[in-house]
Amino acid sequence: MQNSEKEKAILVGCGPKRNEWELLSTLEELGRLAETSAAEVIGQAVQFRDRLDPAWLIGKGKAEEVAKMAEEREADLVIFDHELSPAQIRNLERLLPCKVIDRTQLILDIFAQRAQTKEGRIQVELAQLEYMLPRLAGRGKELSRLGGGIGTRGPGEKKLETDRRHIHRQIRDLKKQLEEVKKHRRLHSERRKKNEVVQVALVGYTNAGKSTLLNRLTGAEVLAENKLFATLDPTSRMLELPSGQQVILTDTVGFIRNLPHHLVAAFRSTLEQVREADLLLHVVDAAHPEAAEQIAAVEKVLEELQATDIPTLMVLNKADLLDGQGIEPDGREIVRISALREEDLDKLKRKIENLLHSKPMTVHLKIPIERGDLLSALHRMAEVVSAKANDAFMEIECRLTDKQLEKLPSELKQQVT
């Protein structure tokens, strides 16, 4: 299959009638995920039922309807908005005239396309293998296909056709490689902490505008598309605040409702950057009709990452698209901006600075001219108001919070009364 050709997909959702709005909403999101993976949505089917059918998910009668629709519309694949069990995959593949995948496999496919770094590719391959391992028994028909396409990228058919023992070995090897990457990242992290480099992490629902914000704040050239998971690998850039202090700003992978636990587990080493941050910027598409639900989904993942105790600023982005005030998140520190407006970016930088420097005090320090290392450390962690040189010393006036004061090198801390 040529990359330029789009696979024709039918979407299938299932859930209780009382949750109709949520069901249709997640199905719409599934459609956007399918389009991100270069599929063309040609139809959808919804089955309202209180309990999912253990054999067919949607019931055999509805499955037969979907099979007929797929045949009439010449669909290439049917995508289910639920994670399918091995038995459900086996039954549906026998009935349907085309490929069968679920929401998890679709997201894994997108990640396989988007991962650029070695670490990202390892994480995707690990997540795919762990997802596929218990389902090998039910993938007979799919494994015989040589056409490729959505759901077959990443580790590929050649790995899935090997025996379970080999796949277990592959998983162990990938985990070992990730552990090495994690060790390397930990060393970098310890070095940054030693140098008192402040870290700010962008988190948020996919397509909320994180990459655009990173580009606008730092002059980075990160891909920013109107697609889900347009960027996958984390990117860090230096951000200069109004006071001249420099901080590291990191863009992380976007979150999503029902983010597959395989991905959260595989990307844990990358997502640990969130836990190391001094401040989180939770970027929200304030103009999205389901902004509140997206906020809840992000906060759920942050809770899973044990990052809820990190100071967080909620950045209500795309404010230029709002007619009124939009959502009002209670009890949260918020700022309303448009990443496209320069004055809003300045407002955001000042807000970041205020949160990083809560209740600052003004102190006067003397640093020997030859101690450039102390001067550099001070510039990294504090707001330097003025600096005057004489023959032997630099006389510095700066603003520090209590927390920053505690981290001052001992030679400087002794000067503060």
Side-chain angles (χ1 to χ4, degrees):
M1 180 177 293
Q2 299 296 318
N3 290 335
S4 58
E5 292 181 6
K6 288 191 173 184
E7 293 182 77
K8 294 184 288 186
I10 292 173
L11 312 179
V12 181
C14 183
K17 178 70 175 174
R18 62 182 176 276
N19 295 342
E20 181 176 0
W21 177 83
E22 184 182 349
L23 175 60
L24 295 177
S25 170
T26 58
L27 201 60
E28 181 184 347
E29 186 172 78
L30 185 71
R32 294 195 61 209
L33 287 167
E35 288 165 6
T36 297
S37 197
E40 177 190 356
V41 178
I42 58 170
Q44 67 177 45
V46 177
Q47 173 75 324
F48 294 114
R49 56 185 298 150
D50 290 333
R51 292 181 61 192
L52 301 178
D53 189 311
W56 300 92
L57 185 83
I58 53 176
K60 189 174 181 182
K62 192 68 175 181
E64 288 171 345
E65 285 181 31
V66 172
K68 187 177 179 184
M69 184 193 302
E71 190 169 359
E72 289 173 351
R73 302 188 186 186
E74 298 182 341
D76 297 300
L77 73 159
V78 174
I79 308 172
F80 286 79
D81 198 21
H82 285 272
E83 192 166 296
L84 297 171
S85 69
Q88 290 165 343
I89 291 171
R90 186 165 55 250
N91 293 334
L92 290 166
E93 281 200 330
R94 286 172 181 164
L95 182 63
L96 297 173
C98 58
K99 196 164 38 173
V100 175
I101 67 172
D102 60 21
R103 179 187 179 91
T104 298
Q105 201 172 354
L106 178 62
I107 294 174
L108 289 170
D109 181 86
I110 294 169
F111 273 51
Q113 295 178 59
R114 299 287 179 174
Q116 299 297 319
T117 64
K118 180 184 176 183
E119 180 184 9
R121 289 192 291 270
I122 291 172
Q123 289 169 323
V124 171
E125 185 170 353
L126 175 62
Q128 287 185 308
L129 289 173
E130 288 189 327
Y131 169 78
M132 293 301 294
L133 186 59
R135 293 167 173 80
L136 287 177
R139 306 306 274 197
K141 191 165 82 173
E142 181 178 296
L143 292 180
S144 68
R145 289 195 183 90
L146 299 177
I150 296 172
T152 62
R153 282 178 273 257
E157 294 165 343
K158 67 182 190 318
K159 288 187 177 66
L160 299 180
E161 286 170 343
T162 60
D163 61 21
R164 290 179 184 274
R165 212 176 320 163
H166 178 64
I167 293 178
H168 277 300
R169 191 160 54 245
Q170 286 289 104
I171 288 172
R172 282 197 303 273
D173 289 345
L174 290 170
K175 285 183 175 178
K176 198 178 294 182
Q177 290 179 52
L178 278 182
E179 193 53 44
E180 286 300 313
V181 172
K182 187 176 177 181
K183 228 179 275 182
H184 188 66
R185 194 195 306 284
R186 201 180 298 127
L187 287 174
H188 276 283
S189 174
E190 287 169 1
R191 195 175 300 130
R192 281 196 298 265
K193 286 176 182 173
K194 188 178 178 183
N195 293 331
E196 300 298 346
V197 177
V198 175
Q199 292 192 81
V200 179
L202 292 164
V203 298
Y205 208 79
T206 183
N207 207 35
K210 299 190 307 305
S211 296
T212 299
L213 197 55
L214 180 76
N215 290 340
R216 296 280 290 151
L217 285 170
T218 67
E221 296 182 356
V222 176
L223 175 68
E225 289 184 286
N226 185 25
K227 285 184 176 180
L228 303 185
F229 300 120
T231 51
L232 173 57
D233 298 302
T235 304
S236 294
R237 294 289 185 272
M238 200 66 80
L239 168 65
E240 186 169 319
L241 298 176
S243 66
Q245 181 190 2
Q246 292 187 325
V247 301
I248 291 178
L249 184 63
T250 300
D251 182 17
T252 61
V253 62
F255 300 153
I256 195 169
R257 275 177 292 186
N258 306 322
L259 188 67
H261 68 272
H262 306 280
L263 276 180
V264 175
F267 278 75
R268 187 167 291 279
S269 63
T270 299
L271 293 171
E272 276 177 359
Q273 291 183 60
V274 171
R275 285 176 28 199
E276 293 169 2
D278 298 285
L279 176 67
L280 300 181
L281 302 185
H282 179 174
V283 183
V284 178
D285 178 355
H288 198 286
E290 295 169 24
E293 287 76 15
Q294 293 185 353
I295 289 171
V298 171
E299 290 181 339
K300 182 180 177 185
V301 178
L302 289 176
E303 188 176 341
E304 189 174 343
L305 293 171
Q306 298 177 333
T308 52
D309 59 335
I310 299 171
T312 302
L313 172 62
M314 187 168 288
V315 182
L316 300 179
N317 190 28
K318 306 186 185 180
D320 53 320
L321 302 179
L322 288 172
D323 295 328
Q325 280 288 86
I327 57 172
E328 290 286 347
D330 295 332
R332 298 177 176 94
E333 190 80 43
I334 66 167
V335 59
R336 287 186 174 81
I337 69 157
S338 165
L340 305 179
R341 294 197 292 235
E342 201 65 44
E343 61 271 23
D344 284 3
L345 296 176
D346 292 338
K347 179 171 71 173
L348 176 58
K349 288 179 187 177
R350 289 194 300 272
K351 190 76 173 176
I352 293 170
E353 195 160 64
N354 289 338
L355 288 173
L356 290 175
H357 296 256
S358 56
K359 297 180 182 177
M361 66 182 82
T362 300
V363 299
H364 294 82
L365 303 169
K366 284 187 175 183
I367 298 178
I369 290 289
E370 68 272 11
R371 293 301 303 274
D373 57 325
L374 291 179
L375 188 60
S376 296
L378 195 60
H379 271 282
R380 279 195 300 270
M381 64 181 296
E383 178 186 353
V384 176
V385 178
S386 66
K388 190 170 71 172
N390 58 35
D391 291 339
F393 292 95
M394 288 286 294
E395 294 182 11
I396 307 290
E397 181 185 344
C398 62
R399 287 158 62 82
L400 288 164
T401 62
D402 289 336
K403 184 178 177 182
Q404 290 168 326
L405 180 59
E406 283 300 311
K407 293 182 178 180
L408 272 182
S410 56
E411 300 100 311
L412 299 180
K413 197 185 298 184
Q414 290 167 6
Q415 298 183 37
V416 181
T417 55

